[in-house]
Each structure stands twice: as structure tokens, then as C-alpha cells.
Amino acid sequence: MKKILLLALTILVGASFTTAEAGKKDKKKKKDAAPVEAPVKLVSGSDSLSYMAGVTMTNGLMDYLIKQQGVDTAYIADFVAGFKEAITSANDPRQTARMAGVDIARQVSQRMFPGLKQEFTDTPDSIITDLFYRGFIDGVKGDTTVMKMTVASEKFSLKQQQNKAAKDEKLYGAVREAGRKFLEENKTKDGVITTPSGLQYKVLTAGTGVVPQRTDRVKVHYEGRLIDGTVFDASKKHGTEPAVFRADQVIKGWTEALTMMPVGSKWQLYIPYDLAYGERGAGKDIKPYATLIFDVELVGIEK
């Protein structure tokens, strides 16, 4: 009899615990569940106008959140929660500062920092993530324990220049040296004239027309080549009509030559990199520090 009573008591206690646990789980579920939004009531014209305006303002927002902000659509409820929090605390200076911190962090982590990492790729130095962000935070706080702003800025600028020079030498030193040798040999050839700037040219056809001013719009046929003979551009690629542009809105070597050429002239230009596209290069064909060759025929001046 005692064994039966003990067994019954055990079952009863177990059932009580099970019921209690179930109640706790139900309460937890209710607690975790998102609050139910109050139904929308559009009573007046202003009510409808306001609601329509709100809906309209979200047109295209989802694409922006996904493509520009990197928001996962599975977490739209969290976006809404953050939006509500920001709206309700719009006049709270602490919340304003916090939201600004989030926005700047996104810009730095997604744009500035990757750019810096890329800048120092293939150089003797590199950017270390943790120390970069520690330096950024100390700079915001004005903490000069490790380094003053003026010292950091000056030394970082110097490092940028040194590392860029090392990177350029590694990647494009051969291109620059090939151009230098080409120009050095080319200036000794018959008919080649070298100007004080370093521009070299050879007159293929001597024109007798007017010489353009820097601000004149000129009409030209041209073909551009690398020193290995690769053609990277030509006016005939863009149609049968000559190209038209202002004489001072092209690379320096062109501007210098055009403002010496009488209309009707055809010259061959040999342009060092600093009078062409410099340290940047252009497109996929013209590498940084590339020396260029152009055949240029000055057809006329557009009045």
C-alpha cells in the first residue's frame, strides 16, 4: 500500500513540474513574441495623406538597404526596431551621438579601411586592423598618450609617399625605364625636335594655317600607340569625322603640340609619362609611367 502511495505521489509531483515548466515556456514565448501593431485608422484626409506619404517614401528603400547598406532581408524586423528607436529618441543627444558612431563605423569599415589596405598592398608595410581602429578611436577622443595628431599625420603622409614609390617601382619601374630609354634614343634621330618640357615631335606634314590658342576647339585625326607599337586609341575608331575638343582639355603633351601646330599639319608626338597620364595611367592599356606616341593631324579650328 505504501509503495502504491509513493508511486502516485511521484507521478503527481512530476506532473506538477511538467505543468509548471510548460507554463514557463508559454510565458517565455509570449514575452519573446513581437508586440502586435495597432490597426491603422485613416479617419481624415490628413490621415490618408500622411500614411500614403510614409509608404511612398519607402519606394526603392529595400534595394538600397540590400545593395548599399548590406542589410539581410531576414532581419528587417531589427531594421524596423532600430528605426523606431532612432525616431523616438531623435532629440536625445546621447542617442544622436551613438547613431552617428554606427554610421561612421559603417563608412570606415566598408570604404576607408579597405581602400587603405589596398593602398599598402605590395609595399614594405601593411595596415593592421586592430591598431588602425585603436588609433581611430584615440584620435576621436583626442587621446595623445601614444602619438599627437600632428606627428601621426606627418609620419603617415611620409609613409604613404615612401610606400607608393616602392610599390610603383615594383609594379611599373620597368615601364618607366623603357620609356626613358626610348626617348633618350629617339631624340637623336633625324627630324626629331625636343622641347624644354621634354616633349618630342617630328613634322610629317607642314601646315600653313592658323596656330590654335589654348582655348580654341580643334578638329583632329589621331592615332595613339605604346612604344611597343600597340594601338590603344584612334579617331577612326569613333567614326569618320575628326575628334573635336578644346586644346587645353587634353594631356599636357597634346596641348603643347597643338598650340605650336599650324592647321594642316601632321606631327608625330613622343610624349613622356609626366606630360601624358603620369603615375595614374589610363584604362587597361596605358599603364602608369607609360611613354606614348601619337600621330596627330590638325584638320581645323572650330569657330
Side-chain angles (χ1 to χ4, degrees):
M1 183 66 178
K2 288 182 179 180
K3 288 182 180 180
I4 293 173
L5 289 174
L6 184 59
L7 179 60
L9 183 60
T10 302
I11 293 172
L12 180 61
V13 171
S16 298
F17 274 113
T18 301
T19 304
E21 286 298 318
K24 288 180 181 178
K25 288 180 180 178
D26 288 341
K27 287 181 180 179
K28 189 174 187 305
K29 286 181 180 178
K30 290 178 181 179
K31 184 178 181 181
D32 291 343
V36 178
E37 293 280 1
V40 177
K41 295 182 179 179
L42 305 178
V43 179
S44 67
S46 295
D47 293 344
S48 298
L49 176 66
S50 303
Y51 186 78
M52 287 186 293
V55 172
T56 303
M57 289 299 103
T58 66
N59 187 19
L61 176 62
M62 193 58 65
D63 281 344
Y64 173 78
L65 291 176
I66 295 170
K67 296 176 182 178
Q68 301 297 325
Q69 299 288 343
V71 173
D72 188 330
T73 54
Y75 300 97
I76 292 301
D78 295 280
F79 166 78
V80 171
F83 182 82
K84 287 182 176 179
E85 182 181 343
I87 293 299
T88 55
S89 58
N91 296 322
D92 184 347
R94 293 183 62 183
Q95 184 66 12
T96 300
R98 189 177 186 85
M99 295 301 291
V102 171
D103 184 51
I104 295 299
R106 182 174 58 252
Q107 294 184 44
V108 171
S109 63
Q110 294 181 1
R111 299 176 188 174
M112 295 171 59
F113 184 69
L116 278 176
K117 290 277 284 188
Q118 181 62 36
E119 179 182 340
F120 283 89
T121 301
D122 293 320
T123 71
D125 295 308
S126 59
I127 300 291
I128 300 171
T129 305
D130 292 346
L131 284 172
F132 168 81
Y133 285 118
R134 177 57 190 270
F136 187 93
I137 292 169
D138 283 353
V140 170
K141 293 163 62 177
D143 187 340
T144 58
T145 304
V146 178
M147 198 175 298
K148 291 182 179 179
M149 173 66 77
T150 53
V151 174
S153 296
E154 290 173 5
K155 289 189 173 182
F156 179 68
S157 179
L158 180 60
K159 275 290 186 182
Q160 279 184 306
Q161 295 172 21
Q162 292 172 341
N163 279 274
K164 184 181 186 306
K167 183 175 183 177
D168 285 352
E169 186 60 34
K170 179 179 179 180
L171 297 177
Y172 310 114
V175 176
R176 180 173 53 199
E177 182 62 15
R180 187 193 66 77
K181 287 184 177 180
F182 171 84
L183 293 170
E184 190 67 24
E185 294 173 1
N186 191 63
K187 71 180 182 181
T188 63
K189 294 181 179 179
D190 290 342
V192 174
I193 300 170
T194 303
T195 70
S197 70
L199 172 70
Q200 296 178 6
Y201 69 92
K202 182 178 181 178
V203 178
L204 304 179
T205 302
T208 57
V210 178
V211 176
Q213 300 296 311
R214 292 177 59 89
T215 55
D216 285 338
R217 289 176 61 81
V218 295
K219 298 189 288 185
V220 300
H221 282 300
Y222 68 89
E223 180 180 89
R225 302 185 298 279
L226 305 178
I227 59 174
D228 66 2
T230 301
V231 176
F232 57 82
D233 193 16
S235 55
K236 64 182 180 181
K237 289 185 177 182
H238 310 290
T240 58
E241 294 297 315
V244 180
F245 44 78
R246 262 178 50 156
D248 62 353
Q249 292 182 334
V250 285
I251 57 176
K252 293 178 181 178
W254 266 59
T255 299
E256 182 179 350
L258 287 169
T259 52
M260 296 190 295
M261 295 175 67
V263 171
S265 298
K266 184 175 182 180
W267 288 10
Q268 190 165 82
L269 311 180
Y270 314 95
I271 306 180
Y273 76 87
D274 56 322
L275 298 179
Y277 293 98
E279 302 174 2
R280 304 184 312 277
K284 61 183 181 63
D285 294 319
I286 304 176
K287 294 181 179 179
Y289 301 98
T291 293
L292 305 178
I293 302 171
F294 283 95
D295 291 336
V296 178
E297 180 184 1
L298 180 56
V299 177
I301 300 174
E302 188 178 79
K303 297 299 183 180

